[in-house]
Amino acid sequence: MGIAYAQQGTPTGEGGSAGLIAALAPPVLIFFVFYLLMIRPQQKKTREQKEMLGNLKTGDQVETTGGLYGTIVKFGEDNRVKVRIAENVTVFIARSAITGKVAETTEAAKSKSE
């Protein structure tokens, strides 16, 4: 039979804390990179979208999540917005369904060129 020896730690006890820091460093670094590349840009985009929805006014040209373009006619109750999408065609949509303001429509471009 062989002789079994017990392992001894370092006499000063420094190995435990250094090992803990070395073990926690990679997950902390991964979370930090994940935050910079994923979470922070999404928060910024959400904040900009909320600000844009808060600054909408009658007459603004908007695009919806369904891909429709139209002009805001009036604001209704329950976060609904009345949007004119064609001549004599208006629809109510949820304010949250507006994805953005349109800088310039083709009609506006035509009137500027004439």
Side-chain angles (χ1 to χ4, degrees):
M1 293 222 187
I3 301 173
Y5 294 101
Q7 292 183 340
Q8 293 182 348
T10 58
T12 58
E14 295 173 344
S17 63
L20 180 65
I21 292 173
L24 290 178
V28 169
L29 184 62
I30 289 169
F31 177 76
F32 181 71
V33 170
F34 185 75
Y35 175 79
L36 286 178
L37 296 177
M38 302 281 286
I39 298 171
R40 192 165 177 247
Q42 184 62 37
Q43 287 176 340
K44 183 179 178 186
K45 188 175 182 179
T46 302
R47 184 174 45 249
E48 289 172 353
Q49 176 74 9
K50 189 175 181 180
E51 184 179 314
M52 184 273 304
L53 289 175
N55 292 332
L56 288 175
K57 58 186 180 294
T58 303
D60 283 347
Q61 307 271 333
V62 294
E63 179 184 3
T64 67
T65 55
L68 294 175
Y69 290 86
T71 304
I72 295 176
V73 176
K74 75 174 202 175
F75 295 93
E77 300 99 29
D78 300 329
N79 286 326
R80 287 192 277 172
V81 180
K82 190 173 187 178
V83 178
R84 181 172 45 87
I85 58 173
E87 195 68 35
N88 298 323
V89 180
T90 58
V91 294
F92 279 102
I93 62 169
R95 184 184 285 249
S96 61
I98 297 173
T99 57
K101 289 168 81 172
V102 179
E104 198 172 273
T105 63
T106 55
E107 294 173 19
K110 284 181 186 178
S111 65
K112 284 183 180 180
S113 64
E114 292 176 356

XYZ file of all heavy atoms in Angstrom:
858
model
N 0.826 -1.174 0.000
C 0.000 0.000 0.000
C 0.870 1.236 0.000
O 1.976 1.236 0.510
C -0.860 0.016 1.241
C -1.866 -1.061 1.287
S -3.273 -0.230 1.889
C -4.353 -1.474 2.118
N 0.263 2.290 -0.547
C 1.004 3.529 -0.614
C 0.658 4.434 0.560
O -0.292 4.222 1.291
N 1.443 5.409 0.708
C 1.221 6.377 1.772
C 0.486 7.572 1.172
O 0.858 8.085 0.129
C 2.547 6.827 2.390
C 3.286 5.612 2.952
C 2.327 7.867 3.456
C 4.665 5.926 3.433
N -0.561 8.029 1.841
C -1.327 9.181 1.371
C -0.900 10.399 2.164
O -0.807 10.358 3.384
C -2.812 8.935 1.547
N -0.631 11.470 1.449
C -0.243 12.719 2.103
C -1.354 13.749 1.929
O -1.923 13.877 0.855
C 1.046 13.280 1.489
C 2.254 12.395 1.750
C 2.724 11.534 0.765
C 2.894 12.432 2.973
C 3.805 10.731 0.977
C 3.995 11.629 3.207
C 4.446 10.785 2.218
O 5.521 9.989 2.451
N -1.610 14.490 2.937
C -2.611 15.568 2.863
C -1.947 16.804 2.299
O -0.800 17.096 2.617
C -3.185 15.851 4.233
N -2.699 17.530 1.439
C -2.142 18.757 0.886
C -2.313 19.887 1.884
O -3.348 20.021 2.527
C -2.840 19.131 -0.420
C -2.546 18.177 -1.545
C -3.204 18.653 -2.852
O -4.128 19.435 -2.829
N -2.702 18.156 -3.965
N -1.315 20.706 1.933
C -1.388 21.849 2.821
C -1.545 23.119 1.995
O -0.982 23.240 0.925
C -0.112 21.968 3.658
C 0.066 20.849 4.649
C 1.323 21.065 5.475
O 2.137 21.907 5.153
N 1.461 20.295 6.540
N -2.349 24.064 2.504
C -2.479 25.360 1.854
C -1.259 26.199 2.150
O -0.369 25.798 2.885
N -1.223 27.372 1.586
C -0.102 28.261 1.868
C -0.189 28.716 3.316
O -1.275 28.936 3.841
C -0.117 29.477 0.936
O -1.347 30.155 1.095
C 0.061 29.064 -0.509
N 0.907 28.883 3.959
C 0.871 29.254 5.373
C 0.260 30.632 5.602
O -0.317 30.888 6.644
C 2.324 29.225 5.818
C 3.154 28.908 4.629
C 2.252 28.632 3.485
N 0.330 31.543 4.625
C -0.213 32.886 4.827
C -1.695 32.964 4.486
O -2.357 33.934 4.829
C 0.553 33.911 3.973
O 0.455 33.519 2.603
C 2.006 33.971 4.370
N -2.244 32.016 3.739
C -3.660 31.995 3.393
C -4.012 32.914 2.230
O -5.159 33.241 2.005
N -3.044 33.356 1.459
C -3.300 34.280 0.344
C -3.894 33.584 -0.881
O -4.529 34.221 -1.697
C -2.001 34.966 -0.068
C -1.432 35.869 0.999
C -0.060 36.397 0.624
O 0.568 35.845 -0.286
O 0.351 37.366 1.255
N -3.745 32.344 -1.037
C -4.199 31.617 -2.218
C -5.703 31.667 -2.399
O -6.196 31.699 -3.507
N -6.479 31.715 -1.344
C -7.933 31.709 -1.424
C -8.492 32.969 -2.040
O -9.336 32.928 -2.935
N -8.066 34.134 -1.616
C -8.621 35.387 -2.137
C -8.171 35.649 -3.576
O -8.938 36.151 -4.380
C -8.252 36.557 -1.228
O -6.847 36.737 -1.209
N -6.946 35.313 -3.898
C -6.467 35.505 -5.271
C -7.201 34.566 -6.216
O -7.530 34.941 -7.341
C -4.968 35.282 -5.356
N -7.488 33.375 -5.777
C -8.221 32.421 -6.595
C -9.655 32.869 -6.821
O -10.221 32.675 -7.893
N -10.262 33.470 -5.809
C -11.629 33.971 -5.935
C -11.695 35.110 -6.953
O -12.591 35.139 -7.793
C -12.144 34.450 -4.576
C -13.557 34.998 -4.553
C -14.543 33.888 -4.901
C -13.888 35.604 -3.211
N -10.766 36.018 -6.901
C -10.732 37.144 -7.855
C -10.517 36.620 -9.272
O -11.173 37.055 -10.215
C -9.640 38.163 -7.454
C -10.040 38.851 -6.156
C -9.414 39.180 -8.567
C -8.970 39.747 -5.571
N -9.627 35.667 -9.418
C -9.362 35.099 -10.742
C -10.579 34.346 -11.272
O -10.825 34.327 -12.474
C -8.152 34.175 -10.679
N -11.359 33.743 -10.387
C -12.544 33.003 -10.818
C -13.685 33.941 -11.189
O -14.490 33.628 -12.064
C -12.985 32.051 -9.718
N -13.804 35.092 -10.551
C -14.898 36.026 -10.819
C -14.612 37.004 -11.954
O -15.540 37.601 -12.492
C -15.235 36.818 -9.555
C -15.899 36.028 -8.434
C -16.136 36.927 -7.232
C -17.199 35.418 -8.904
N -13.368 37.179 -12.323
C -13.011 38.156 -13.352
C -13.647 37.856 -14.720
O -14.223 38.757 -15.326
C -11.498 38.271 -13.469
N -13.590 36.650 -15.248
C -14.189 36.405 -16.574
C -15.700 36.670 -16.639
O -16.147 37.334 -17.577
C -13.853 34.939 -16.848
C -12.629 34.671 -16.055
C -12.787 35.492 -14.813
N -16.518 36.200 -15.682
C -17.954 36.511 -15.785
C -18.255 38.002 -15.695
O -19.140 38.509 -16.384
C -18.583 35.758 -14.607
C -17.604 34.724 -14.225
C -16.267 35.252 -14.598
N -17.525 38.717 -14.849
C -17.724 40.167 -14.725
C -17.347 40.852 -16.029
O -18.060 41.735 -16.514
C -16.921 40.733 -13.536
C -16.906 42.248 -13.549
C -17.475 40.203 -12.221
N -16.257 40.439 -16.636
C -15.816 41.009 -17.909
C -16.822 40.708 -19.018
O -17.155 41.589 -19.824
C -14.439 40.471 -18.281
C -13.802 41.047 -19.538
C -13.586 42.547 -19.376
C -12.495 40.358 -19.840
N -17.348 39.492 -19.036
C -18.344 39.129 -20.047
C -19.598 39.973 -19.882
O -20.166 40.475 -20.855
C -18.674 37.623 -19.967
C -17.483 36.818 -20.477
C -19.924 37.278 -20.765
C -17.584 35.336 -20.212
N -20.076 40.166 -18.647
C -21.258 40.993 -18.414
C -21.009 42.437 -18.843
O -21.879 43.065 -19.445
C -21.666 40.967 -16.935
C -22.825 41.863 -16.642
C -24.112 41.487 -16.997
C -22.637 43.108 -16.059
C -25.192 42.322 -16.759
C -23.702 43.954 -15.817
C -24.979 43.558 -16.162
N -19.842 42.979 -18.572
C -19.510 44.350 -18.950
C -19.543 44.516 -20.469
O -20.125 45.481 -20.982
C -18.131 44.725 -18.391
C -17.714 46.118 -18.709
C -18.330 47.202 -18.105
C -16.697 46.364 -19.623
C -17.956 48.502 -18.406
C -16.316 47.658 -19.934
C -16.943 48.726 -19.319
N -18.968 43.592 -21.189
C -18.972 43.653 -22.665
C -20.398 43.505 -23.187
O -20.829 44.228 -24.085
C -18.036 42.578 -23.259
C -18.219 42.458 -24.767
C -16.600 42.903 -22.924
N -21.156 42.585 -22.600
C -22.555 42.392 -22.983
C -23.353 43.671 -22.761
O -24.161 44.066 -23.593
C -23.146 41.235 -22.159
C -24.546 40.872 -22.538
C -24.815 40.166 -23.690
C -25.607 41.242 -21.729
C -26.107 39.822 -24.042
C -26.907 40.909 -22.062
C -27.153 40.199 -23.219
N -23.111 44.345 -21.646
C -23.798 45.602 -21.347
C -23.462 46.656 -22.396
O -24.347 47.346 -22.899
C -23.408 46.092 -19.950
C -23.981 47.437 -19.609
C -25.306 47.573 -19.212
C -23.214 48.601 -19.697
C -25.850 48.803 -18.908
C -23.747 49.839 -19.400
C -25.063 49.933 -19.005
O -25.606 51.160 -18.723
N -22.197 46.795 -22.726
C -21.786 47.820 -23.698
C -22.320 47.547 -25.100
O -22.675 48.484 -25.814
C -20.260 47.920 -23.747
C -19.600 48.595 -22.556
C -18.082 48.582 -22.728
C -20.089 50.011 -22.375
N -22.373 46.288 -25.494
C -22.765 45.962 -26.862
C -24.259 45.728 -27.052
O -24.764 45.900 -28.158
C -21.996 44.717 -27.341
C -20.486 44.868 -27.449
C -19.853 43.556 -27.867
C -20.112 45.973 -28.422
N -24.981 45.339 -26.004
C -26.385 44.974 -26.176
C -27.347 45.841 -25.360
O -28.272 46.414 -25.911
C -26.579 43.502 -25.767
C -25.731 42.524 -26.543
S -26.375 42.169 -28.151
C -27.745 41.145 -27.749
N -27.154 45.914 -24.084
C -28.132 46.550 -23.197
C -28.152 48.062 -23.383
O -29.211 48.665 -23.553
C -27.858 46.171 -21.732
C -28.013 44.665 -21.555
C -28.796 46.918 -20.796
C -27.555 44.151 -20.211
N -27.008 48.691 -23.356
C -26.933 50.156 -23.434
C -27.500 50.703 -24.746
O -28.304 51.640 -24.722
C -25.492 50.603 -23.233
C -25.342 52.073 -23.006
C -23.959 52.387 -22.456
N -23.806 53.807 -22.309
C -22.969 54.535 -23.029
N -22.189 53.963 -23.922
N -22.890 55.834 -22.845
N -27.148 50.154 -25.919
C -27.745 50.665 -27.159
C -29.263 50.482 -27.207
O -29.978 51.337 -27.725
C -27.060 49.852 -28.257
C -25.789 49.402 -27.661
C -26.071 49.205 -26.201
N -29.764 49.367 -26.662
C -31.208 49.143 -26.656
C -31.913 50.159 -25.767
O -32.990 50.651 -26.113
C -31.518 47.717 -26.195
C -32.984 47.375 -26.248
C -33.543 47.439 -27.664
O -32.883 47.085 -28.621
N -34.777 47.900 -27.796
N -31.319 50.481 -24.617
C -31.906 51.496 -23.743
C -31.937 52.854 -24.432
O -32.912 53.596 -24.311
C -31.115 51.592 -22.439
C -31.321 50.433 -21.508
C -30.442 50.529 -20.275
O -29.431 51.228 -20.254
N -30.822 49.797 -19.234
N -30.893 53.185 -25.159
C -30.829 54.460 -25.872
C -31.901 54.515 -26.961
O -32.596 55.523 -27.114
C -29.440 54.642 -26.494
C -29.263 55.959 -27.194
C -27.873 56.091 -27.774
C -27.730 57.395 -28.514
N -26.438 57.484 -29.203
N -32.066 53.424 -27.697
C -33.068 53.367 -28.760
C -34.478 53.495 -28.180
O -35.321 54.198 -28.732
C -32.923 52.050 -29.524
C -33.757 51.940 -30.756
C -33.440 50.645 -31.490
C -34.245 50.541 -32.754
N -33.945 49.317 -33.498
N -34.745 52.828 -27.068
C -36.046 52.906 -26.414
C -36.327 54.324 -25.930
O -37.441 54.833 -26.083
C -36.108 51.926 -25.228
O -35.851 50.613 -25.710
C -37.459 51.961 -24.543
N -35.328 54.975 -25.367
C -35.479 56.343 -24.881
C -35.776 57.301 -26.042
O -36.655 58.163 -25.941
C -34.216 56.771 -24.132
C -34.302 58.136 -23.494
C -33.089 58.498 -22.633
N -31.800 58.190 -23.238
C -30.976 57.236 -22.816
N -31.307 56.470 -21.799
N -29.820 57.039 -23.414
N -35.085 57.141 -27.175
C -35.326 57.988 -28.347
C -36.723 57.766 -28.913
O -37.395 58.726 -29.308
C -34.273 57.722 -29.419
C -32.899 58.232 -29.065
C -31.830 57.790 -30.050
O -32.130 56.967 -30.951
O -30.690 58.262 -29.911
N -37.183 56.511 -28.954
C -38.527 56.195 -29.456
C -39.587 56.829 -28.568
O -40.546 57.423 -29.061
C -38.715 54.673 -29.518
C -40.088 54.227 -29.936
C -40.364 54.420 -31.416
O -39.480 54.745 -32.192
N -41.594 54.216 -31.802
N -39.416 56.733 -27.256
C -40.371 57.313 -26.311
C -40.415 58.833 -26.452
O -41.486 59.447 -26.432
C -39.987 56.919 -24.886
C -41.001 57.283 -23.848
C -40.592 56.744 -22.485
C -41.628 57.100 -21.445
N -41.259 56.587 -20.121
N -39.261 59.453 -26.633
C -39.191 60.902 -26.813
C -39.879 61.322 -28.112
O -40.614 62.306 -28.149
C -37.729 61.351 -26.826
C -37.545 62.843 -26.922
C -36.072 63.222 -26.895
O -35.350 62.697 -26.040
O -35.667 64.034 -27.747
N -39.653 60.561 -29.189
C -40.277 60.870 -30.477
C -41.804 60.775 -30.363
O -42.524 61.640 -30.852
C -39.757 59.905 -31.552
C -40.245 60.171 -32.965
S -41.809 59.420 -33.444
C -41.532 57.708 -33.128
N -42.311 59.731 -29.692
C -43.756 59.583 -29.537
C -44.349 60.708 -28.696
O -45.469 61.139 -28.930
C -44.088 58.224 -28.902
C -43.861 57.005 -29.787
C -44.109 55.733 -29.000
C -44.722 57.054 -31.021
N -43.600 61.196 -27.735
C -44.066 62.293 -26.901
C -44.101 63.626 -27.629
O -44.866 64.516 -27.273
N -43.275 63.781 -28.661
C -43.184 65.052 -29.386
C -44.037 65.089 -30.658
O -43.929 66.043 -31.429
C -41.727 65.346 -29.752
C -40.886 65.635 -28.525
O -41.392 66.122 -27.517
N -39.614 65.321 -28.597
N -44.864 64.079 -30.905
C -45.703 64.085 -32.101
C -46.755 65.179 -32.009
O -47.251 65.493 -30.925
C -46.402 62.733 -32.267
C -45.524 61.566 -32.683
C -46.329 60.272 -32.684
C -44.909 61.801 -34.047
N -47.098 65.742 -33.165
C -48.139 66.766 -33.210
C -48.949 66.595 -34.494
O -48.543 65.884 -35.412
C -47.540 68.159 -33.107
C -46.530 68.505 -34.189
C -45.892 69.854 -33.902
C -44.887 70.222 -34.952
N -43.716 69.405 -35.028
N -50.094 67.229 -34.538
C -50.969 67.155 -35.707
C -50.223 67.677 -36.930
O -49.545 68.699 -36.872
C -52.238 67.991 -35.466
O -52.866 67.513 -34.282
C -53.201 67.883 -36.622
N -50.356 66.948 -38.039
C -49.695 67.340 -39.281
C -48.378 66.624 -39.528
O -47.820 66.720 -40.625
N -47.855 65.919 -38.538
C -46.602 65.185 -38.725
C -46.818 64.001 -39.653
O -47.838 63.320 -39.599
C -46.071 64.664 -37.387
C -45.407 65.745 -36.557
O -45.138 66.833 -37.088
O -45.162 65.484 -35.360
N -45.854 63.758 -40.517
C -45.854 62.600 -41.404
C -45.196 61.457 -40.629
O -44.091 61.622 -40.116
C -45.045 62.896 -42.665
C -45.462 64.145 -43.386
C -46.546 63.880 -44.392
O -46.656 62.783 -44.905
N -47.346 64.889 -44.678
N -45.877 60.295 -40.544
C -45.366 59.190 -39.743
C -45.390 57.881 -40.522
O -46.084 57.756 -41.533
C -46.187 59.014 -38.442
C -46.005 60.210 -37.526
C -47.643 58.779 -38.734
N -44.616 56.914 -40.019
C -44.615 55.550 -40.542
C -45.036 54.629 -39.409
O -44.627 54.807 -38.275
C -43.220 55.162 -41.020
C -43.141 53.750 -41.547
C -41.730 53.332 -41.925
O -40.786 54.112 -41.732
O -41.587 52.201 -42.402
N -45.862 53.626 -39.725
C -46.337 52.694 -38.710
C -45.549 51.392 -38.769
O -44.812 51.144 -39.732
C -47.831 52.384 -38.892
O -48.002 51.651 -40.108
C -48.665 53.646 -38.929
N -45.752 50.554 -37.762
C -45.067 49.258 -37.746
C -45.529 48.369 -38.893
O -44.791 47.484 -39.315
C -45.319 48.520 -36.415
O -46.721 48.415 -36.206
C -44.674 49.227 -35.259
N -46.724 48.601 -39.410
C -47.234 47.829 -40.540
C -46.724 48.315 -41.884
O -47.044 47.745 -42.916
N -45.959 49.406 -41.885
C -45.406 49.922 -43.130
C -46.263 50.974 -43.799
O -45.982 51.372 -44.927
N -47.329 51.423 -43.137
C -48.177 52.471 -43.706
C -47.580 53.840 -43.416
O -47.055 54.074 -42.328
C -49.589 52.400 -43.114
C -50.406 51.170 -43.454
C -51.717 51.199 -42.682
C -50.679 51.099 -44.936
N -47.690 54.736 -44.378
C -47.273 56.112 -44.206
C -48.526 56.976 -44.162
O -49.466 56.742 -44.903
C -46.385 56.572 -45.369
C -45.029 55.922 -45.370
C -44.827 54.695 -45.980
C -43.952 56.541 -44.754
C -43.587 54.093 -45.985
C -42.698 55.950 -44.751
C -42.531 54.723 -45.369
O -41.292 54.132 -45.361
N -48.535 57.962 -43.309
C -49.696 58.824 -43.222
C -49.402 60.095 -42.472
O -48.284 60.328 -42.013
N -50.435 60.937 -42.360
C -50.329 62.223 -41.678
C -51.256 62.206 -40.467
O -52.412 61.799 -40.574
C -50.752 63.359 -42.632
O -49.954 63.278 -43.815
C -50.553 64.713 -41.980
N -50.761 62.659 -39.343
C -51.566 62.691 -38.136
C -52.641 63.760 -38.276
O -52.353 64.914 -38.592
C -50.698 62.975 -36.896
C -49.724 61.822 -36.657
C -51.569 63.195 -35.663
C -48.767 62.030 -35.526
N -53.897 63.352 -38.066
C -55.028 64.265 -38.154
C -55.403 64.763 -36.760
O -55.595 65.954 -36.546
C -56.240 63.581 -38.829
C -57.444 64.496 -38.840
C -55.884 63.139 -40.230
N -55.521 63.833 -35.801
C -55.815 64.242 -34.427
C -55.463 63.118 -33.477
O -55.237 61.975 -33.876
C -57.280 64.637 -34.261
C -58.274 63.509 -34.220
C -59.674 64.031 -33.911
C -60.527 62.910 -33.359
N -61.827 63.352 -32.932
N -55.399 63.469 -32.196
C -55.103 62.515 -31.140
C -56.389 62.189 -30.406
O -57.150 63.073 -30.046
C -54.067 63.095 -30.167
C -52.726 63.316 -30.809
C -52.397 64.538 -31.364
C -51.807 62.297 -30.866
C -51.169 64.747 -31.963
C -50.571 62.484 -31.460
C -50.254 63.711 -32.005
N -56.644 60.900 -30.188
C -57.849 60.460 -29.497
C -57.536 59.958 -28.107
O -56.419 60.084 -27.606
N -58.568 59.370 -27.468
C -58.371 58.813 -26.138
C -57.656 57.472 -26.228
O -57.543 56.871 -27.282
C -59.725 58.608 -25.440
C -60.543 59.868 -25.261
C -61.617 60.015 -26.317
O -62.097 58.995 -26.830
O -61.948 61.161 -26.641
N -57.221 56.994 -25.091
C -56.587 55.672 -24.964
C -55.374 55.516 -25.872
O -55.167 54.456 -26.475
C -57.596 54.549 -25.259
C -58.786 54.558 -24.319
O -58.603 54.981 -23.156
O -59.878 54.171 -24.747
N -54.573 56.569 -26.002
C -53.344 56.527 -26.814
C -53.594 56.154 -28.264
O -52.780 55.500 -28.905
C -52.304 55.585 -26.202
C -51.659 56.190 -24.990
O -51.453 57.395 -24.917
N -51.343 55.359 -24.015
N -54.738 56.547 -28.802
C -55.028 56.323 -30.215
C -54.732 57.602 -30.995
O -54.887 58.702 -30.487
C -56.480 55.917 -30.419
C -56.750 54.503 -29.961
C -58.082 54.024 -30.421
N -59.089 54.518 -29.488
C -60.388 54.402 -29.676
N -60.849 53.831 -30.763
N -61.237 54.854 -28.788
N -54.331 57.420 -32.232
C -54.017 58.536 -33.112
C -54.785 58.332 -34.411
O -54.786 57.234 -34.974
C -52.497 58.600 -33.405
C -52.164 59.755 -34.319
C -51.702 58.686 -32.126
N -55.446 59.382 -34.889
C -56.157 59.318 -36.162
C -55.177 59.752 -37.245
O -54.630 60.856 -37.207
C -57.379 60.232 -36.145
C -58.301 60.054 -37.324
C -59.571 60.876 -37.143
C -60.570 60.587 -38.224
N -61.815 61.353 -38.033
N -54.970 58.862 -38.220
C -53.972 59.092 -39.267
C -54.659 59.008 -40.620
O -55.407 58.073 -40.905
C -52.840 58.036 -39.177
C -51.834 58.228 -40.294
C -52.155 58.107 -37.835
N -54.367 60.004 -41.483
C -54.874 59.982 -42.858
C -53.824 59.269 -43.697
O -52.684 59.715 -43.809
C -55.090 61.397 -43.375
C -55.641 61.423 -44.810
C -56.037 62.822 -45.272
N -55.083 63.855 -44.952
C -54.042 64.197 -45.714
N -53.827 63.592 -46.854
N -53.232 65.162 -45.340
N -54.224 58.138 -44.306
C -53.276 57.355 -45.104
C -53.493 57.527 -46.599
O -52.630 57.159 -47.390
C -53.320 55.859 -44.720
C -54.710 55.283 -44.886
C -52.814 55.655 -43.310
C -54.787 53.785 -44.677
N -54.655 58.067 -46.986
C -54.950 58.340 -48.392
C -56.061 59.388 -48.420
O -56.617 59.751 -47.385
C -55.392 57.072 -49.118
N -56.382 59.867 -49.614
C -57.454 60.850 -49.774
C -58.753 60.253 -49.235
O -59.163 59.180 -49.658
C -57.597 61.218 -51.253
C -58.400 62.467 -51.504
C -57.693 63.729 -51.022
O -56.457 63.777 -51.110
O -58.381 64.647 -50.559
N -59.384 60.929 -48.295
C -60.637 60.505 -47.669
C -60.549 59.161 -46.941
O -61.552 58.481 -46.781
C -61.783 60.452 -48.695
C -62.054 61.821 -49.296
O -61.960 62.834 -48.606
N -62.377 61.839 -50.571
N -59.353 58.749 -46.525
C -59.178 57.509 -45.767
C -58.400 57.812 -44.493
O -57.226 58.180 -44.555
C -58.422 56.430 -46.584
C -58.250 55.159 -45.768
C -59.119 56.150 -47.886
N -59.082 57.695 -43.362
C -58.412 57.888 -42.070
C -58.622 56.644 -41.218
O -59.656 55.986 -41.304
C -58.954 59.121 -41.319
O -60.354 58.957 -41.126
C -58.672 60.398 -42.080
N -57.630 56.334 -40.421
C -57.693 55.175 -39.530
C -57.199 55.582 -38.151
O -56.407 56.518 -38.008
C -56.851 53.993 -40.056
C -57.409 53.439 -41.335
C -55.405 54.397 -40.236
N -57.689 54.874 -37.137
C -57.162 55.041 -35.791
C -56.113 53.963 -35.565
O -56.343 52.784 -35.860
C -58.273 54.899 -34.739
C -59.080 56.142 -34.552
C -60.336 56.249 -35.115
C -58.590 57.203 -33.819
C -61.090 57.388 -34.948
C -59.335 58.345 -33.635
C -60.594 58.447 -34.198
N -54.968 54.366 -35.064
C -53.911 53.410 -34.733
C -53.428 53.703 -33.320
O -53.642 54.799 -32.792
C -52.731 53.473 -35.726
C -52.072 54.849 -35.707
C -53.163 53.105 -37.127
C -50.755 54.897 -36.454
N -52.787 52.739 -32.720
C -52.186 52.933 -31.404
C -50.959 53.824 -31.554
O -50.216 53.703 -32.538
C -51.798 51.598 -30.794
N -50.769 54.692 -30.605
C -49.605 55.583 -30.651
C -48.315 54.765 -30.681
O -47.355 55.128 -31.349
C -49.616 56.514 -29.442
C -48.495 57.534 -29.452
C -48.484 58.360 -28.185
N -49.543 59.344 -28.190
C -49.332 60.664 -28.281
N -48.117 61.124 -28.375
N -50.339 61.490 -28.255
N -48.312 53.647 -29.972
C -47.110 52.807 -29.921
C -46.815 52.117 -31.249
O -45.718 51.596 -31.438
C -47.247 51.769 -28.816
O -48.355 50.934 -29.068
N -47.771 52.110 -32.184
C -47.553 51.493 -33.493
C -46.818 52.419 -34.451
O -46.494 52.017 -35.565
C -48.884 51.076 -34.105
N -46.553 53.638 -34.035
C -45.807 54.581 -34.869
C -44.325 54.329 -34.651
O -43.830 54.405 -33.534
C -46.181 56.038 -34.530
C -47.658 56.272 -34.835
C -45.296 57.009 -35.301
C -48.180 57.625 -34.391
N -43.617 54.018 -35.733
C -42.191 53.712 -35.613
C -41.308 54.924 -35.818
O -40.179 54.936 -35.355
C -41.765 52.626 -36.620
O -42.082 53.064 -37.933
C -42.449 51.324 -36.321
N -41.799 55.931 -36.531
C -40.964 57.098 -36.731
C -41.648 58.171 -37.541
O -42.685 57.953 -38.156
N -41.027 59.333 -37.502
C -41.491 60.450 -38.318
C -40.800 60.384 -39.664
O -39.645 59.990 -39.759
C -41.160 61.775 -37.631
C -42.005 62.036 -36.393
C -41.475 63.182 -35.564
C -41.879 64.519 -36.079
N -41.524 65.612 -35.156
N -41.528 60.771 -40.705
C -40.970 60.791 -42.051
C -40.495 62.211 -42.313
O -41.249 63.168 -42.113
C -42.024 60.356 -43.096
C -41.455 60.408 -44.483
C -42.542 58.974 -42.763
N -39.270 62.334 -42.770
C -38.690 63.660 -42.971
C -39.411 64.430 -44.069
O -39.743 65.588 -43.915
C -37.204 63.540 -43.301
N -39.677 63.760 -45.181
C -40.257 64.461 -46.320
C -41.021 63.461 -47.178
O -40.531 62.390 -47.465
C -39.119 65.087 -47.128
C -39.533 66.161 -48.063
C -38.313 66.833 -48.656
O -37.794 67.769 -48.041
O -37.895 66.404 -49.738
N -42.216 63.797 -47.594
C -42.986 62.900 -48.465
C -42.745 63.262 -49.915
O -42.179 64.298 -50.232
C -44.497 63.003 -48.162
O -44.922 64.330 -48.457
C -44.799 62.661 -46.720
N -43.209 62.412 -50.798
C -43.041 62.682 -52.223
C -43.877 63.898 -52.631
O -43.482 64.655 -53.510
C -43.461 61.462 -53.060
O -44.793 61.094 -52.718
C -42.523 60.310 -52.824
N -45.043 64.100 -51.994
C -45.868 65.273 -52.302
C -45.135 66.555 -51.939
O -45.145 67.531 -52.675
C -47.211 65.204 -51.570
C -48.096 64.078 -52.032
C -49.338 63.942 -51.174
O -49.685 64.908 -50.481
O -49.964 62.881 -51.216
N -44.486 66.556 -50.784
C -43.743 67.732 -50.356
C -42.550 67.984 -51.282
O -42.214 69.123 -51.600
C -43.260 67.566 -48.911
N -41.932 66.909 -51.744
C -40.804 67.056 -52.667
C -41.264 67.607 -53.989
O -40.585 68.432 -54.610
C -40.105 65.699 -52.860
N -42.450 67.180 -54.466
C -42.980 67.701 -55.721
C -43.285 69.183 -55.621
O -42.982 69.953 -56.516
C -44.252 66.952 -56.105
C -44.041 65.578 -56.658
C -45.378 64.947 -57.017
C -45.230 63.523 -57.440
N -46.534 62.917 -57.743
N -43.900 69.605 -54.519
C -44.266 71.019 -54.375
C -43.023 71.901 -54.264
O -43.037 73.043 -54.686
C -45.176 71.212 -53.164
O -44.478 70.893 -51.973
N -41.940 71.368 -53.716
C -40.709 72.151 -53.615
C -40.031 72.310 -54.976
O -39.431 73.318 -55.263
C -39.728 71.483 -52.649
C -40.102 71.675 -51.210
C -39.048 71.055 -50.318
C -39.409 71.239 -48.868
N -38.396 70.644 -47.991
N -40.141 71.275 -55.812
C -39.464 71.334 -57.109
C -40.205 72.212 -58.111
O -39.620 72.658 -59.087
C -39.291 69.914 -57.674
O -40.548 69.335 -57.933
N -41.494 72.455 -57.892
C -42.264 73.265 -58.848
C -42.100 74.732 -58.613
O -41.704 75.307 -57.760
C -43.751 72.899 -58.761
C -43.994 71.509 -59.265
C -45.460 71.111 -59.084
O -46.255 71.884 -58.509
O -45.802 70.026 -59.532
